[in-house]
Amino acid sequence: MNGHRLSALAEAIGGEWLVRHDDPVIAQLSIDSRKPFAPHDTLFIALKGERHDGHRYLSDLHARGMRQFIVSDAIDAASLPASNVIRVRDTCDALQRMAAWHRRHFTAPVIGITGSNGKTVVKEWLFHLLRDTEHIVRSPGSWNSQVGVPLSVWGMRAEHSLGIIEAGISQPGEMDRLRAIVHPTIGIFTNIGPAHGEHFADDRAKAMEKALLFSDARVVIYCADHKEVADALRAQGIDQRATLLGWSRERNRWLHVVREEPVAHGQRIRVMNDQADFDFEIPFADHASAENAIHCVALLLHLGRSPQWIAERTPHLPPVSMRLEAVEGANGITLLNDAYSNDTASLAIALEHLDALAAGRPKLVVLSDLVGGEASQLRYARVEHLLRQARVSAVLTVGPELATHALDFAPRVQHFADAEELLARTDTAEFADHAVLVKGARAFGLERIVARWQRQVHGTVLEIDLEAIRHNLNHYRALLAPGTRVMAMVKAFGYGGGALELARLFAHEQVQYLGVAYADEGIELRQGGVHLPIMVMNPEPVSMEVLHRFRLEAEVYDERSVREAIRFAKLHADAPPVHIKLDTGMRRLGFTEDELPQLLALLRDAGPLRVASVLSHSAAADDPAHDAFTRGQIAAFTRMADAIDAALGYRPLRHLANSGGTTRWKEAHFDMVRLGIGLHGIGVDARETSQLRRAATLRTVIAQLKPAPDGSTIGYGRSGVALGERLIATVPMGYADGLSRRLSNGVGRFWVHGQAAPIMGTVCMDMCMIDVTGIDCAVGDAAVVFDASHPITDVARDMGTIPYEVLTSISQRVKRVYVRG
């Protein structure tokens, strides 16, 4: 079964037909209007939330070919001709009921996984261990939410012999809905911990909610050493309906962990029960990996796999990356690195990320042969469908299987025996300015392609979480009235995060405007393929010809700049519009109210000049102490903008609010808001900051460790002095990377394995020394300046400055890595 008639789905969810054109077979579900789709068999579900509403995009989707819709709002059916439109009370509930109905069509065993941590790792490791003997459907990535779970279950087909679905919750009442969708026959309860605990009284309450997933399961695997887990399974009566298979390090259970010991490349674990007593190894040394692996081994023993079969496979467990990583490559390419796994489910997710990363640029996919129990013909037919739907411009394949399948839909398809042949016969210059997905099974070693093609920079990294920035953007959008536009500020190298990649993200997220400080920043975006309108907040004279050539829109702020814009507009009918800057109290750039008459006189005789917007800058919108001043600015801006409207005879856009003003001053939203630092996770106050996600991590690695005897000195000028025997680590980050000298001599610190390591002595140009005494660390371990757990605001406080300065001071020689959650 590869789909259902739309009429059957409508009946299953109790939907009302608003328009009925035909009755297609639906194979795919879509909830994101930005993603590619196959019009003939895709059903769009218009989900609504605090920060999004799929109903806003129905007309655009229809124009692109979508013809099947599920909605909850009243809509004008005439606006969607030749379509099928079904109305329900709640579209999210309809999605969940549709998935639960779909699940009932299949009898293959399904493993349901829940817990506070380890769900995704256990799921991916089980897939890795079983893929050669089972045809598996599994949750893509970390799709374990109220929306992700039904979309995962929708992927079940008759040919699958096993399902592996993870389920997560954040509030009471959620798991019962997921239980009906997953309906697991086998359960794994990984652990219980603090994650997502804000809506639960304690860990016991959270464990009780999670245990509901297994209400209809036949077998549940769990760690009996986690008391809250064991108690919850019994309190919910799971032990009366299912066989509980507990494992323990401390006592006799169904499976006893006898010993865990380090080995050269990981650890060796000995387990025993009534049927088996054996060792297995894993290539990871940490406690969490051991626990995840024991869950997998317990499940494999339950499925009847022999100790020898298990021990042969566990040493090859792969690292599980929770996020796809994008890095800058040579010749303007951007590399999306997913070189450690390859199957059709993860390929579909990776191609969606590639589409977002490309932002209109051509797309290249480097793809190895796939893994999994699916028949080869079916597998590669699915691959071709995904690549065709993603509209890639070139495909480079690695491995013997893909070489035998004709992929003739792309302008260029080329086959290679292995990664080395591909590297020897290709050059990144052939794919200049492409977005490149490198996607391969671990055995093919495609990580060598990423290593060769990426831009070579030193080991200090600024990691930008694009999913966090998207979350923050949606936080601010939820504060705006419908129709209010957003200008995303990407000046100063995108607040240090890389203007081009952020601009591509904002284009994908359908932001209406970008803002830069100087024309050369806008030119770089245009040369990188960004097509959004760009406003240049340019305080220096720049040639209007240059702005015209690159379709950049200048801010005009004095009589000279307005006259020049008028002159150029009279000579060029397609001259770019301008943005008029008003000074309402900042005393920086712009026309004051006293200077307004001169401006109005110029505008009345402006001829063909087009004014896109009128703007001002609030001086203290984020500070309640200056609220009276801010009200005065809003009032002055309104008066002056009204006068400009009258002089022009039309109403340009108005914008005044920055991130802080967007949060605190609804009356300052006008037609558009300008978002900057808030997009990076820094709110107007502690409460808002807790609702945002910190987007940046600055880290490096330990290059050397050495003891410092009592009284010895460290660094230039001997300013650092060892008080007692100390262990000093040298890290390759200095003031040329953006690490301020103000953090010298213990003012600042790095974080090594979660512990503070104060800076010793003076920060050097290219490196500094930190005190790691008492911290269990080694050369190559990470040393973090700031991340989600150690906020950039703390670094700014230590420097006596603001987070803006910290971010924008990070040197461009520091490698930017872009990840998606």
Side-chain angles (χ1 to χ4, degrees), residues 550-584:
F550 291 98
R551 306 184 321 282
L552 303 176
E553 302 174 15
E555 175 186 291
V556 293
Y557 50 86
D558 61 9
E559 187 175 338
R560 177 204 56 79
S561 57
V562 173
R563 288 186 183 280
E564 174 60 15
I566 293 172
R567 180 197 68 79
F568 192 81
K570 289 179 178 179
L571 295 175
H572 301 273
D574 61 344
V578 297
H579 302 258
I580 298 176
K581 181 67 173 286
L582 303 178
D583 183 356
T584 56

Side-chain angles (χ1 to χ4, degrees), residues 52-285:
H52 63 268
D53 185 352
H55 295 82
R56 298 177 184 172
Y57 309 106
L58 299 181
S59 296
D60 175 65
L61 283 163
H62 186 272
R64 291 163 52 202
M66 184 72 76
R67 291 295 181 267
Q68 285 71 242
F69 304 89
I70 292 182
V71 301
S72 58
D73 287 358
I75 66 165
D76 177 12
S79 66
L80 303 173
S83 296
N84 297 293
V85 185
I86 300 166
R87 188 178 182 186
V88 296
R89 180 184 57 83
D90 182 322
T91 48
C92 184
D93 176 68
L95 169 63
Q96 293 173 345
R97 286 189 289 132
M98 190 186 309
W101 177 81
H102 175 74
R103 166 71 179 90
R104 291 196 292 272
H105 288 75
F106 306 101
T107 57
V110 172
I111 302 167
I113 306 173
T114 194
S116 294
N117 303 104
K119 298 184 293 294
T120 301
V121 174
V122 170
K123 178 201 67 187
E124 292 299 319
W125 281 358
L126 287 174
F127 172 77
H128 178 84
L129 292 162
L130 291 165
R131 66 190 182 192
D132 293 332
T133 57
E134 304 283 353
H135 185 187
I136 299 171
V137 58
R138 75 192 195 282
S139 307
S142 298
W143 285 22
N144 55 37
S145 67
Q146 297 291 303
V147 172
V149 169
L151 290 175
S152 299
V153 169
W154 181 262
M156 291 187 71
R157 297 291 183 264
E159 60 266 23
H160 290 124
S161 62
L162 180 66
I164 311 176
I165 306 295
E166 58 175 292
I169 57 167
S170 57
Q171 298 187 55
E174 291 185 337
M175 190 57 88
D176 203 43
R177 294 194 291 272
L178 299 185
R179 176 201 57 77
I181 301 167
V182 180
H183 196 67
T185 51
I186 302 170
I188 298 178
F189 199 147
T190 59
N191 52 46
I192 204 72
H196 305 295
E198 55 268 25
H199 296 293
F200 295 92
D202 50 32
D203 283 350
R204 180 182 181 279
K206 187 163 49 175
M208 292 280 286
E209 176 75 14
K210 287 179 179 290
L212 290 173
L213 177 64
F214 310 123
S215 296
D216 304 314
R218 300 170 195 162
V219 172
V220 178
I221 291 165
Y222 70 105
C223 177
D225 300 335
H226 293 301
K227 184 177 185 303
E228 292 89 351
V229 172
D231 290 350
L233 290 171
R234 288 174 174 81
Q236 294 288 24
I238 308 301
D239 61 327
Q240 303 300 310
R241 302 186 292 274
T243 301
L244 299 187
L245 301 181
W247 63 266
S248 173
R249 294 180 171 97
E250 302 171 1
R251 58 184 69 87
N252 242 347
R253 293 294 181 190
W254 174 75
L255 184 67
H256 181 51
V257 180
V258 178
R259 183 173 61 251
E260 298 165 80
E261 58 186 2
V263 294
H265 301 290
Q267 55 187 310
R268 180 182 296 118
I269 302 170
R270 187 172 190 84
V271 296
M272 64 178 294
N273 66 8
D274 292 343
Q275 285 77 42
D277 182 353
F278 67 102
D279 293 338
F280 66 91
E281 293 185 6
I282 62 172
F284 306 96

Side-chain angles (χ1 to χ4, degrees), residues 583-627:
D583 183 356
T584 56
M586 188 77 170
R587 297 293 182 265
R588 195 167 64 178
L589 290 176
F591 291 91
T592 65
E593 202 157 9
D594 289 341
E595 296 167 330
L596 190 60
Q598 299 99 290
L599 171 63
L600 298 179
L602 289 170
L603 294 179
R604 291 187 188 102
D605 190 30
L609 178 71
R610 293 177 295 143
V611 178
S613 79
V614 179
L615 70 147
S616 188
H617 203 104
S618 55
D622 56 344
D623 190 344
H626 300 290
D627 280 357

Side-chain angles (χ1 to χ4, degrees), residues 14 51 205 223 254 293 322 354 402 426 566 579 603 638 716 813:
R51 299 167 185 168
C223 177
W254 174 75
M322 302 301 175
L354 178 67
L402 276 166
T426 59
I566 293 172
H579 302 258
L603 294 179
T638 302
Y716 285 122
R813 81 175 186 180

